Amino acid sequence: MKNPLRLLPQFLVFLVSLMFFGESAVAGNGSAESVALFHVGLVLDLKSEVGEMAESCISMALSDFYDIHTNYGTKLELHTLDSGGDSVGAASAALHLMKDVEVQALVGPQQSTQASFVIDLGEKAQVPIMSFSATSPSLSPLRSPYFIRAAIDDSAQVKAIAAIVQNFGWKEVIMIYEDSDYGNGVIPYFIDAFQEIDVHVPYRTCFPLDATNDQILKELHTLTTMQTRVFIVHMSSLVGSRLFINADNAGMMSQDYAWIVTDGLSSLLSPLDSSAIDSMEGVLGVKPYIPKSKKLDEFKVRWKRMVYSNKSFNIEISEPSLYGLWAYDTVWALAMAVEEIETLDPRFLSNTTDNLTDLSRLGYSSIGPQLLHTILNTNFRGLSGDFHLVRGQLISTAFQIFNVFGEGERLIGYWTPTGGISRQLQTTKKSNTSNLKAIVWPGDSTTKPKGWVIPTNGKQHLKVLVPMIDGFNQFVKVEGQGPITNKTINVTGYSIDVFRNATSRLPFGLAYEFYAYPIRKDNGSYNELIDEVYFKNFDAAVGDITIWKNRSKYVDFTVPHSESGVVMVVPLKDDLEREIWMFVKPLSQGLWLVTIAGFIYIGVVVWILEYPTNTTLGISRGERLQASLWYSFLTLIFAQRERIDNHLTRAVLLTWVFYVLILTQSYTASLSSTLTARQLKPTITDVNDIRNNGYYVGYHAGSFVKDFLIDHLHLDELKLKNYSTPEEYHQALSNGTENGGVAAIFDELPYIQVFLNMYCKKYTTVGSTYSSAGFGFVFPKGSPLVSYLSREILSIIDDGTLDTYKGRWLENQTYCDNANASSSTSTNQLTLRSFGGLFLIIVVVSGLSLLIHFSLFVHAKWKSQTTKISPKLRWQKAGYKIIYITAALKGMSHVTEVGSMELQRMGTQNNREERRHC
């Protein structure tokens, strides 16, 4: 027997080891017992690519999270169920997890259609429903507080796609979407966004999830008959992949087509098979921008390694999609929120009810409100970027714009709410350029599709309708047969030349054929012609078609190519009434008075100037004054016979005769103009005359003028008569309302101008010019040709080509200025101001002549006096005269008598000296 003491060291070592491992085990068991498990439900379609990928990302998220956060006292315990790909399976799985497992949170379901009922269960049980793939706007966290969308709402991409459409100048798009909550929910947002940028959606097509290839092809063939060639596709990969394969087979992935897909397809390009990818070449798409990071790159590498090493995964995706990244971040957010809850008592409280159904017996979570509040306030940097919930969902800061090319996609630009479209990411301000990188369009084309084509419908040309009328062929003249079925007609005219010139300037070829539409007094109208375009029997209508408000409700018009306005034309009648004072009308009253005063003034001036020397005017003063006045008046007829001796008189008479000559000539011209003008007087001056007297009124047959006269001018419909040609206008106006004709005709300004050019001496326009929009070309509502042709018509107006056409077709006859006839009742009366310059000359010349005459007379008189009287007597006589006048003013009679006697004495002395001198 061995000595037991020799085994003592070994025994001690065994005891120490046992104690160590026992403590470790106890410690380990204590740690496990201190970690609180938090039960979370997971509802996915495990047989789908997205479901499998999401499950793998969630598994990696849990592993990564707790590898990093080893000190956390909580841990998520996932309970995964398969929804089977339908709404009933998803609702059944969610109900089981809440009722039987009593999960405190639920991740999923995968589809928006499945999420609707599950969200209602979450509301009842106070269990937060976190979905990373239910992106339909029809599911709103605002309406359902316990619904948390850990993804970006589909409506966020709407403005990005609208910006792309606007960037390329497309005016029409067709929406193609699937018939589901996911597909239908975003359509109203697209319609609103396109309306904001004036983009029309003429057609929408919806495919059921189980649509067959025949159904898809049938609808696609319908789309090929329409003019729009821009398609917006909002579908999941299940339906979208088959759509593009069939579109390729239908020839719709060729030149002139443009396709844009939403992130429902763009985020899942990898799961699509190669045939679907090949058929999508040239497609544009948008998807949320995911910022690059080292963590994301490492995750992708580890995910690929895990998928390829685990043969249980049936995934053909080369890398995790956006939905996988959102699923990863969703689990991290939930794990962080659970850890932050201070009092973790995950129990379900039962409802007290007598109803024995499963839903009525569903309890509610005791920590649901607290957990919901914590999740909504969780923020961190995840794989997809910043995880920050706003109103219960993630928000997007930017979208990537890509072009499908080859076997994948090529990034061509970005869109942000603040920066718009740009090649490089702009997050602060709007870029100066909205150009994207080079794009390869369907059909390997590098030319941007114009977005529309002329609808084929089995025809190769645009069917253009033209009015065939009896008169006013200056606008449209149809030669040959007239029925609508005849397309081999020759059409000319002003409107036709404008249309042909405008189409020749288009940046693309436009083939068309003219079809005549007869318009007669008793058959056909311009409204009926427009109806042919509205009902899509014809593609356009060209001619003298007026742009009118009621018509614009049904069709679109180009900008007008003619003058606008509705006017009234009436006959001119002779006004032979003679007024008793007609002859005084040419001169104003002031001019008459000044002229008469001038004759008297000149007569007096002549008398003054001729009196000293000219005895032919008479002997006495009275005779000479009478002769001078008569001489002045005789200048009117230049019949004066008396001799004029004074040169100053000749100078005065020269200016006066010149004035008389100008006055008589002007008077004659003005009087003739007055008499002539008063013979051309309109028979009617205002539309009120027509209403008050009940006159008959004519209008252009088949035009809108009839409705205008009834609705706007309130004329009696029974008093309206229609006419088609200028000759009929002339005949009706000539007969007058008493003889079966009309008193006036209302028509548009271009027609009236043609009419007056033919009968300018007999008619005139009176009254106001009523507003109208002029002639335009007609196209169906939303036709892109309207904007193209409108731009070309404006260029025709700017470069003067339109004036050339007007001169060729509308003004090739003698032009009459009807403004003179319209204002014929007024006269050009001569006023005093008209001859102000001549009067000034006469006054200056006559005044100077009188001044010179008096100066010479005074000088001669003074000289004769100085030669007869001595200086001494002259000064004495002057002195006594002054004394005499002063005394007389003061009333000094004795001085006056003395002065008078002295003056007589001096006069006697003066006579003696004169006799002695002689």
Side-chain angles (χ1 to χ4, degrees), residues 102-103 148 208 336 456 480 494 529 541 550 594 651 665 683 704 753 766 772 890 918:
E102 295 187 350
V103 295
I148 300 172
M336 294 173 67
T456 56
Y494 168 76
L529 180 147
N550 294 336
V594 171
Q665 295 295 326
T683 56
F704 82 102
Q753 288 176 340
V766 294
S772 68
K890 291 182 177 181
C918 294

Side-chain angles (χ1 to χ4, degrees), residues 692-737:
N692 298 334
N693 296 284
Y695 292 149
Y696 283 93
V697 173
Y699 66 92
H700 194 178
S703 71
F704 82 102
V705 177
K706 177 181 179 181
D707 297 332
F708 173 80
L709 296 177
I710 298 173
D711 298 337
H712 291 76
L713 299 186
H714 308 292
L715 298 182
D716 186 0
E717 184 176 0
L718 299 177
K719 297 291 184 178
L720 303 182
K721 297 183 179 181
N722 59 351
Y723 302 98
S724 299
T725 66
E727 291 77 15
E728 291 179 357
Y729 282 15
H730 170 60
Q731 186 65 35
L733 290 172
S734 299
N735 292 338
T737 188

Side-chain angles (χ1 to χ4, degrees), residues 286-476:
V286 297
K287 61 182 179 181
Y289 168 69
I290 303 300
K292 295 181 179 180
S293 65
K294 183 179 180 182
K295 181 180 178 181
L296 177 61
D297 294 337
E298 293 175 351
F299 171 77
K300 290 180 178 180
V301 172
R302 291 190 295 111
W303 184 86
K304 291 179 182 179
R305 189 183 301 120
M306 181 197 70
V307 170
Y308 292 150
S309 61
N310 191 343
K311 300 194 178 188
S312 62
F313 287 108
N314 189 22
I315 300 177
E316 298 180 359
I317 307 174
S318 59
E319 63 179 29
S321 69
L322 180 60
Y323 294 123
L325 303 182
W326 281 337
Y328 185 97
D329 291 344
T330 300
V331 173
W332 270 60
L334 181 58
M336 294 173 67
V338 169
E339 182 65 25
E340 291 182 9
I341 297 178
E342 296 179 356
T343 302
L344 188 62
D345 186 17
R347 291 183 299 109
F348 254 67
L349 304 179
S350 61
N351 286 318
T352 58
T353 179
D354 295 334
N355 197 327
L356 300 180
T357 62
D358 287 343
L359 289 178
S360 62
R361 288 183 293 160
L362 179 64
Y364 60 93
S365 173
S366 60
I367 64 170
Q370 185 180 2
L371 177 61
L372 175 65
H373 179 267
T374 308
I375 294 173
L376 294 176
N377 290 279
T378 300
N379 298 313
F380 64 96
R381 182 75 173 179
L383 293 181
S384 62
D386 291 330
F387 188 93
H388 175 62
L389 297 174
V390 177
R391 296 180 180 178
Q393 62 186 6
L394 293 180
I395 59 172
S396 174
T397 57
F399 279 90
Q400 291 178 327
I401 305 173
F402 65 89
N403 181 208
V404 179
F405 182 72
E407 297 181 355
E409 60 187 50
R410 185 171 60 90
L411 183 65
I412 59 174
Y414 299 87
W415 178 87
T416 61
T418 56
I421 293 178
S422 59
R423 291 192 178 189
Q424 304 299 326
L425 187 60
Q426 302 280 345
T427 58
T428 56
K429 61 180 180 178
K430 194 170 182 66
S431 174
N432 292 330
T433 175
S434 58
N435 293 329
L436 298 168
K437 296 179 182 178
I439 300 174
V440 178
W441 299 96
D444 293 330
S445 173
T446 57
T447 303
K448 183 204 77 173
K450 61 179 179 290
W452 61 275
V453 295
I454 301 302
T456 56
N457 292 329
K459 64 180 185 293
Q460 301 297 324
H461 297 81
L462 199 70
K463 295 175 64 177
V464 179
L465 207 57
V466 295
M468 185 174 68
I469 55 180
D470 294 331
F472 295 103
N473 298 131
Q474 293 87 347
F475 298 97
V476 179

Side-chain angles (χ1 to χ4, degrees), residues 160-295:
I161 293 177
I164 295 175
V165 173
Q166 186 178 30
N167 180 67
F168 290 112
W170 295 322
K171 292 300 181 181
E172 284 189 355
V173 297
I174 289 178
M175 296 295 306
I176 302 176
Y177 54 99
E178 65 178 47
D179 189 10
S180 65
D181 287 347
Y182 167 76
N184 296 317
V186 77
I187 299 304
Y189 295 89
F190 271 114
I191 300 301
D192 292 342
F194 288 139
Q195 285 181 347
E196 290 180 3
I197 59 174
D198 196 25
V199 172
H200 183 52
V201 182
Y203 189 76
R204 291 180 288 175
T205 181
C206 181
F207 291 100
L209 296 176
D210 58 350
T212 64
N213 289 336
D214 290 339
Q215 289 177 318
I216 295 175
L217 276 174
K218 181 180 179 181
E219 185 63 23
L220 290 176
H221 282 302
T222 301
L223 297 180
T224 59
T225 63
M226 301 179 183
Q227 66 181 12
T228 307
R229 288 294 182 264
V230 181
F231 304 102
I232 310 296
V233 180
H234 180 62
M235 290 181 169
S236 60
S237 58
L238 179 64
V239 185
S241 58
R242 292 191 294 119
L243 171 72
F244 280 102
I245 292 174
N246 285 283
D248 192 20
N249 295 333
M252 298 178 68
M253 301 304 299
S254 58
Q255 194 171 359
D256 291 333
Y257 285 88
W259 296 81
I260 304 176
V261 297
T262 62
D263 62 358
L265 272 175
S266 60
S267 298
L268 295 172
L269 285 178
S270 298
L272 301 180
D273 57 35
S274 58
S275 60
I277 294 293
D278 292 341
S279 64
M280 291 180 65
E281 184 163 329
V283 171
L284 298 183
V286 297
K287 61 182 179 181
Y289 168 69
I290 303 300
K292 295 181 179 180
S293 65
K294 183 179 180 182
K295 181 180 178 181

Side-chain angles (χ1 to χ4, degrees), residues 728-800:
E728 291 179 357
Y729 282 15
H730 170 60
Q731 186 65 35
L733 290 172
S734 299
N735 292 338
T737 188
E738 299 86 1
N739 300 316
V742 294
I745 285 182
F746 285 86
D747 207 346
E748 294 177 84
L749 193 57
Y751 297 121
I752 296 301
Q753 288 176 340
V754 172
F755 175 68
L756 292 180
N757 282 338
M758 300 173 63
Y759 302 99
C760 57
K761 301 292 185 181
K762 299 181 179 180
Y763 307 100
T764 185
T765 58
V766 294
S768 303
T769 299
Y770 303 98
S771 299
S772 68
F775 298 154
F777 303 141
V778 180
F779 290 90
K781 272 286 185 182
S783 174
L785 276 174
V786 173
S787 59
Y788 280 98
L789 284 176
S790 294
R791 283 193 292 268
E792 302 307 331
I793 291 173
L794 292 177
S795 67
I796 291 174
I797 296 174
D798 291 340
D799 62 20

Side-chain angles (χ1 to χ4, degrees), residues 599-601 603-604 624-634:
F599 280 113
I600 298 174
Y601 170 75
V604 172
R624 292 188 179 185
L625 179 59
Q626 181 181 359
S628 298
L629 292 174
W630 180 244
Y631 187 90
S632 173
F633 280 98
L634 286 178

Side-chain angles (χ1 to χ4, degrees), residues 585-600:
K585 294 294 184 181
L587 306 183
S588 65
Q589 182 179 1
L591 185 58
W592 276 114
L593 294 177
V594 171
T595 302
I596 294 172
F599 280 113
I600 298 174

